[in-house]
Amino acid sequence: MTVNLTTVLSSATRQVVISRDGPTVVIGERINPTGRKQVLAAFAAGDFEIARTDALAQVEAGAQMLDVNAGVPGADEPVMLRQVMQTVMAATDVPLCIDTADPVALAAALSFYKGKALVNSCNGEERSLKAVLPIVKEYGAAVIGLCMDDDGIPETPEARLAVAGKIIERAGKLGIPIEDVIIDPLALTMGADSHAGRIAMDTIELIIKEFDVNITMGASNISFGMPDRPYINSAFIAMAIHAGMTCPITNPLVTQVITAVLAADLAMGRDDYGMRWIKAFRKRQKAAGAAA
Ligand code: THG
C-alpha cells in the first residue's frame, strides 16, 4: 500500500491542500495568452486588466488556484510574468501555478512570490530537469512533471509512467519531496487520436498505483476540434477524478465543467453532507434570479 500523498500550496495568506481525501482543486486556466487572442492582444499592449477580471471571475466560479501564463511572442517574459502575477495577486489571494517555459522568468517570479507556488512545469527532458528542478528546490516550490521526454510524448501508459518515475527520482535527488511533484499524464486531443482519453486515464491509474502522487491535467485539451466541447470536458473530468486526478487545470467558468467536478466529488465521498454541492446550487440559483 502506498500512502495518499498531500501537496500543500500557499499564497501569503491562504493555503490549499491537494489530496485524494479532499475536494478536487480546480486550477483556473484562463490567464494565458496562448490560444486566447484577446488576452494576447491586451498583454502585448501592456494592459493587464483582463488578468484581474479573469482572476476574480475564476475564483468566484470555484477555482482554488490560478494558472498564470504570460508567454507573449517577442515580449520580455520575466517582466511580463511579473506584471501579470502582481495584477493577479492584488486581485485575489489564491495560490498561483506559474506557467512558463522560461527558467529566467520562473526564477524571477519565484523570487518575489510570497508563499509556496506550483511550477508549471518540467518534463523528463534532460535539459528541462537540469534547468527547472534546482529553481524549484531553491524556492521551496512544488512542480508539475509532464510525462514527456527527449523522445517526445510516449504513446503507452507504461512509457509515460516511466517518465513520471524519472522526474520523481531526479526531484528526490535534489531534495524535492515526492509530495511536491504533481504529475501530468498529458491529455491530448481526442479529435486527433480517439484513444487519447483512455491513455490519459490508464496513465493516471498506473502512476497512482506506483507513487500515489497528486495528478493534474489540462483537462480541456481533450476536446479541441470537437463540437459541443463542454459535454465532452465535463464527462472526461469526472472520469479522470474517479481515476485519481486531484487538481485539473481547466476553465471553471464553463458551468458543465465546474458542476461535473462538484458532482464527481460528491460521488467520490469528498463532499460531506453534500454541502459544497448545495452551496454551489444556491449560488447558481441566485445568479439566475439576479439575471432574470
Ligand atoms: N498541462 C499543463 N499545463 C498546461 C496545459 C496542460 N497549461 C496550458 C494548457 N495546457 C491549459 N491551459 C489552457 C488555457 C487556455 C485555454 C486552453 C487551455 C483556452 N482555450 C480556448 C479553447 O479551449 O478553445 C481558447 C478560446 C478562448 O477561450 O478564447 O483558452 O495540458 N500542466
Side-chain angles (χ1 to χ4, degrees), residues 63-266:
Q64 281 182 268
M65 290 183 61
L66 294 173
D67 186 90
V68 179
N69 182 306
V72 171
D76 183 338
E77 192 168 338
V79 171
M80 192 161 286
L81 183 59
R82 184 189 186 107
Q83 288 169 313
V84 174
M85 282 174 64
Q86 282 176 335
T87 304
V88 172
M89 286 156 70
T92 167
D93 69 347
V94 301
L96 300 185
C97 173
I98 304 172
D99 192 348
T100 177
D102 176 355
V104 176
L106 175 63
L110 288 171
S111 73
F112 69 80
Y113 183 79
K114 288 192 176 51
K116 180 172 168 184
L118 179 57
V119 170
N120 189 7
S121 54
C122 77
N123 61 55
E125 285 179 56
E126 207 45 48
R127 205 165 45 110
S128 170
L129 294 167
K130 283 206 176 101
V132 178
L133 292 180
I135 301 173
V136 170
K137 172 62 187 168
E138 182 181 349
Y139 292 98
V143 65
I144 295 173
L146 305 181
C147 290
M148 56 184 283
D149 62 13
D150 298 277
D151 299 323
I153 301 173
E155 249 174 67
T156 66
E158 290 75 15
R160 291 190 195 184
L161 169 70
V163 178
K166 179 179 172 186
I167 295 169
I168 289 166
E169 191 195 329
R170 293 288 291 268
K173 279 193 177 146
L174 288 180
I176 301 167
I178 183 168
E179 63 268 24
D180 284 341
V181 182
I182 295 181
I183 295 295
D184 183 339
L186 294 178
L188 301 181
T189 159
M190 297 194 285
D193 174 2
S194 56
H195 292 109
R198 177 80 257 173
I199 291 167
M201 225 79 76
D202 290 350
T203 306
I204 293 176
E205 281 167 14
L206 285 183
I207 290 169
I208 282 171
K209 218 164 125 198
E210 180 98 11
F211 300 111
D212 220 351
V213 289
N214 281 301
I215 302 281
T216 187
M217 264 200 294
S220 42
N221 302 354
I222 205 87
S223 63
F224 279 131
M226 287 294 208
D228 263 350
R229 293 180 60 190
Y231 293 116
I232 301 174
N233 291 349
S234 56
F236 180 73
I237 210 165
M239 294 169 76
I241 288 168
H242 178 252
M245 177 179 67
T246 42
C247 49
I249 301 170
T250 193
N251 182 356
L253 303 190
V254 179
T255 306
Q256 292 96 324
V257 166
I258 196 77
T259 51
V261 170
L262 290 165
D265 280 350
L266 186 59

